[in-house]
Amino acid sequence: GESVGLHLPTLSVQEGDNSIINCAYSNSASDYFIWYKQESGKGPQFIIDIRSNMDKRQGQRVTVLLNKTVKHLSLQIAATQPGDSAVYFCAENIGAQSGGGADGLTFGKGTHLIIQP
Amino acid sequence: KAGVTQTPRYLIKTRGQQVTLSCSPISGHRSVSWYQQTPGQGLQFLFEYFSETQRNKGNFPGRFSGRQFSNSRSEMNVSTLELGDSALYLCASSLGTSGRFQETQYFGPGTRLLVL
């Protein structure tokens, strides 16, 4: 029978090309967004974050773009390398509860990035 | 600095049993959050502890509980295990300081629980 499970979108890119991974978030009240990378058998690894008062933020080989109008987030990876193969998750946070501090993150379904040699 | 550690890494239990998972946060971090990851539901927030108190909670039944100790280490307990509890359980730590903006959460490698 058909197996039931999470269908991850897959993005296949050539080594050395740029990768763009997209994410649509659900809550217009979200004001903090994070991208995580998860390799097989490991926990999510922080890549980059962005707050809602910004629309772009750059890190080492990565850029995150935030479009609040259409509730869209993207992660750009420059010069993709074999070590970039992983599942990429975007996560959003709807704002600190009274008193601030870390709240639960709401994660997207993830995109599986495959690097072709 | 050592990262977030979780023990055990793998666990097999049978339905009806209970299980306790442990998480040691990054030194200096006072907030510990727990997440469940399954192929069907993805990553879902369970709860967050700060200064030995549960500060935030996701939408999981009361069978899922946790606690935090004075050294910020945290444990998560699941009672009366069900087959659907099979998952990767992740904990994440952050500084937990108050303020308007959220903080980066750093994840451990997870505990993979299989319920038979």
Side-chain angles (χ1 to χ4, degrees), chain A residues 6 31 36 38 93 102-103, chain B residues 37 39 48 56 100 102 105:
Chain A
L6 177 63
D31 60 359
Y36 283 94
Q38 187 174 25
N93 187 292
D103 296 311
Chain B
Q37 186 175 27
E48 183 231 353
N56 292 291
R100 171 63 181 85
Q102 295 81 348
Q105 295 190 29

Side-chain angles (χ1 to χ4, degrees), chain A residues 79-90:
Chain A
T80 311
Q81 304 168 357
D84 295 329
S85 286
V87 177
Y88 289 80
F89 293 96
C90 65

Side-chain angles (χ1 to χ4, degrees), chain A residues 48-66:
Chain A
I48 191 167
D49 59 3
I50 188 167
R51 308 197 188 278
S52 58
N53 59 351
M54 305 171 68
D55 52 22
K56 180 179 179 179
R57 190 166 188 222
Q58 290 184 290
Q60 187 177 14
R61 279 201 310 119
V62 294
T63 300
V64 56
L65 298 177
L66 175 63

